Amino acid sequence: MPDGRRAVDTMLQLHTAHYPEYITELRGLADGAGVPFKQVLMANMRQELLALAQPHQQQHEDSCSDVLLSLPAPHGPPRHPAPTEGAQPPATTLIGHNEDMTRDTIGRIYFVRYNADASFPTAASAARRRTGSSSSSSSRRLMRRQAAHQQTSSREGQQRNYGQPQLQTPAAGASPPPATASSFNRQGAWSSSSTTTSSSSSRSSTGGLSWLGFVYAGELASSGFGFNSAGIGFSLNAVFPAAPLMPGFSRNFVSRQLLQARSIDEALAIISRPGQAVGHSYNLFDLHSRRLLNVEVGPGGASSVLEVRRGSFYFHANMFKHLVLRQRIDASSFHREARALQLQAPRDAAELLGMLGDTADPEYPIYRHGNSTADAAVVTLCTALFDLEAGTMRVWTGNPGDASSRRLQLQFDLHTLQLLEEQ
């Protein structure tokens, strides 16, 4: 189709001018895989091209769910680093993420680790220290590990403080009712005094950072979730604005650059870059300050930031909640958001995983098992849990809320990016 070819060519010109290093990365990926470059390019612009080709149709891909939880220490303010045995328990700072995608991606997903500096700790060097062996099998497994994805009525975020849970189920066709959020920052009102520390050993001679990301075959890291050696990490939720800006920057290129952010402020500057085609929802964390943010970005780069304060949690599916923007409502997102409002606020990691594993809605469950009456096209590939107090990221397959069916696949150290455990 001539219009389609023109759109792809125009997008290629735009990204070559503004993201030349990532275009080079994709060309190398295409050469290595033996597939046409434009096929790889289009895979990295899937959301933008679908929005252009199907402006009035619902899209069901990239339909992930996230829970952000921030609780103070049980008997006072958090203490860092974590106290020794018998001392005050630590605070709770968690992000849980269901990675949902169509069935055809099963067996085509990986974890990729980029090491910017040979002096930075690696899984292979850690394994050698533990065993005295020069084997690089842990490094190989780490680099490629298959794991078996209307307009809102209010500018208020749906961050929930602890107390009586809200039992509100929206009527068909209506937007989910908002809850108040005292920590909500309106557009243009963002300010931050935080600083991010980064060891010089995590930087290469060119100033790069090491990072680890979840990757779909043929795509840039990461269109799912990832973190870097500066302590900045994120998970992603797709959003579906009614009118994309084309040509515009692809979210895959933005999230790839986000892996190089050295601070929350730098991450926010990358996330809100002007000229984006569709935008995204970013669940952003700073390992050092324990800050949790949800950032919604729309076409052009308009953005809204919500900070999850201590004593609250936040659920996000695939719809704009605090950025006022016309959007196409996905039925699954609507149902998942409504179900989250019915559930008791989680108090720890087990209850957070229980929320992500909820299947009470027979049509559109939060945990997408592929057997529902209306939502069989997309399944939950895996669940990731970022624990900022423990300094780990754990990844399961199976229902995360069912200890008998979930399986711990991988565990990573957020400070060193080392692979700690594999099953």
Side-chain angles (χ1 to χ4, degrees), residues 113 115 117-118 120-129 416-419:
R113 182 187 188 281
N115 186 26
D117 192 327
F120 192 72
T122 66
S125 63
R128 286 195 294 271
R129 286 195 298 271
T416 67
L417 281 67
Q418 291 180 18
L419 176 62

Side-chain angles (χ1 to χ4, degrees), residues 290-404:
R290 274 43 169 195
R291 295 180 68 186
L292 302 180
L293 308 175
N294 174 258
V295 187
E296 293 182 345
V297 183
S303 62
S304 178
V305 179
L306 183 147
E307 182 155 5
V308 180
R309 302 292 188 183
R310 287 293 182 191
S312 62
F313 90 102
Y314 186 69
F315 181 91
H316 200 285
N318 303 101
M319 52 197 296
F320 292 105
K321 294 174 64 175
H322 50 90
L323 176 63
V324 176
L325 195 70
R326 289 193 309 114
Q327 61 180 311
R328 288 172 291 144
I329 296 297
D330 171 65
S332 173
S333 296
F334 186 87
H335 280 247
R336 283 178 283 143
E337 291 281 358
R339 176 58 182 160
L341 286 173
Q342 296 175 332
L343 294 172
Q344 178 70 42
R347 294 166 294 183
D348 53 30
E351 292 184 358
L352 183 153
L353 292 173
M355 176 174 283
L356 288 176
D358 186 82
T359 58
D361 189 318
E363 293 185 306
Y364 299 99
I366 294 176
Y367 174 73
R368 306 176 80 171
H369 45 61
N371 299 317
S372 59
T373 57
D375 190 33
V378 176
V379 295
T380 299
L381 300 175
C382 63
T383 299
L385 180 69
F386 293 92
D387 186 333
L388 273 59
E389 306 302 329
T392 61
M393 181 187 76
R394 289 176 284 170
V395 182
W396 292 270
T397 56
N399 187 320
D402 183 355
S404 65

Side-chain angles (χ1 to χ4, degrees), residues 205-267:
S205 59
T206 58
L209 296 174
S210 298
W211 51 260
L212 186 140
F214 176 92
V215 180
Y216 288 95
E219 296 193 19
L220 294 166
S222 167
S223 56
F225 52 93
F227 60 95
N228 67 25
S229 53
I232 301 299
F234 60 89
S235 63
L236 305 175
N237 306 115
V239 288
F240 306 107
L245 174 67
M246 294 291 284
F249 297 127
S250 164
R251 61 189 190 146
N252 275 26
F253 287 73
V254 176
S255 60
R256 171 64 179 84
Q257 187 180 15
L258 188 56
L259 287 168
Q260 298 298 329
R262 296 185 178 279
S263 68
I264 285 287
D265 287 336
E266 187 173 335

Side-chain angles (χ1 to χ4, degrees), residues 150-224:
Q150 209 151 23
Q151 186 169 357
T152 55
S153 59
S154 172
R155 292 174 65 90
E156 296 296 331
Q158 292 187 358
Q159 180 177 343
R160 288 168 55 190
N161 294 321
Y162 276 73
Q164 187 67 23
Q166 299 190 19
L167 302 177
Q168 302 183 50
T169 302
S175 296
T180 60
S182 59
S183 61
F184 175 65
N185 296 300
R186 295 187 180 275
Q187 264 183 273
W190 172 260
S191 62
S192 171
S193 59
S194 67
T195 59
T196 300
T197 61
S198 176
S199 170
S200 60
S201 65
S202 68
R203 304 184 185 190
S204 70
S205 59
T206 58
L209 296 174
S210 298
W211 51 260
L212 186 140
F214 176 92
V215 180
Y216 288 95
E219 296 193 19
L220 294 166
S222 167
S223 56

Side-chain angles (χ1 to χ4, degrees), residues 106 112 289 396:
I106 296 175
V112 172
S289 67
W396 292 270

